[in-house]
Amino acid sequence: MTARDTWTVDRLHHALPHSTSRQQLLADVNLTPLDELPVVLDRWAQAAETLQAAAGRIAAARAQAVSGPPCEDTDDRTADIQHDAGHRGDRQPGRGAA
């Protein structure tokens, strides 16, 4: 049994989270020669299965991004990053390094 046996193009379309990927799926289906279509659909089915398997981790990451990291674990590294990037606080806005 291949991944293709459990999926339809419609199910794949609804399993993809972004309109860009859904549009690409439909374009691939419409523009792929018939003899190559099973391979293309298998690839899309694998992508959909990977997304479904990661759905819990994706939701947790989104929730973390919304709430932010716990305060006790937050370490403000802004000064270090600016120093490493060569930022000098004495530059006037609008003036380059020259």
Side-chain angles (χ1 to χ4, degrees), residues 29-50:
V29 168
N30 287 314
L31 299 174
T32 298
L34 288 177
D35 61 328
E36 297 173 24
L37 197 53
V39 173
V40 170
L41 289 174
D42 281 341
R43 208 170 44 236
W44 277 105
Q46 182 61 46
E49 289 169 356
T50 300

Side-chain angles (χ1 to χ4, degrees), residues 1 15 18 20 25 27 29 33 40 42 44 58-60 63 65 73 76 83 85 89 93:
M1 177 187 255
H18 300 289
T20 303
L25 165 68
V29 168
V40 170
D42 281 341
W44 277 105
I58 292 169
D73 293 339
D76 185 358
H83 178 268

Side-chain angles (χ1 to χ4, degrees), residues 3-86:
R4 208 169 4 112
D5 295 332
T6 60
W7 290 96
T8 65
V9 173
D10 184 61
R11 281 191 64 217
L12 288 170
H13 186 266
H14 288 287
L16 298 171
H18 300 289
S19 61
T20 303
S21 56
R22 292 189 294 266
Q23 290 173 346
Q24 186 62 52
L25 165 68
L26 296 177
D28 287 354
V29 168
N30 287 314
L31 299 174
T32 298
L34 288 177
D35 61 328
E36 297 173 24
L37 197 53
V39 173
V40 170
L41 289 174
D42 281 341
R43 208 170 44 236
W44 277 105
Q46 182 61 46
E49 289 169 356
T50 300
L51 284 169
Q52 285 183 336
R57 293 189 313 272
I58 292 169
R62 285 182 177 153
Q64 179 74 20
V66 169
S67 65
C71 292
E72 61 272 1
D73 293 339
T74 302
D75 185 17
D76 185 358
R77 305 289 306 224
T78 305
D80 294 336
I81 293 168
Q82 289 177 335
H83 178 268
D84 292 346

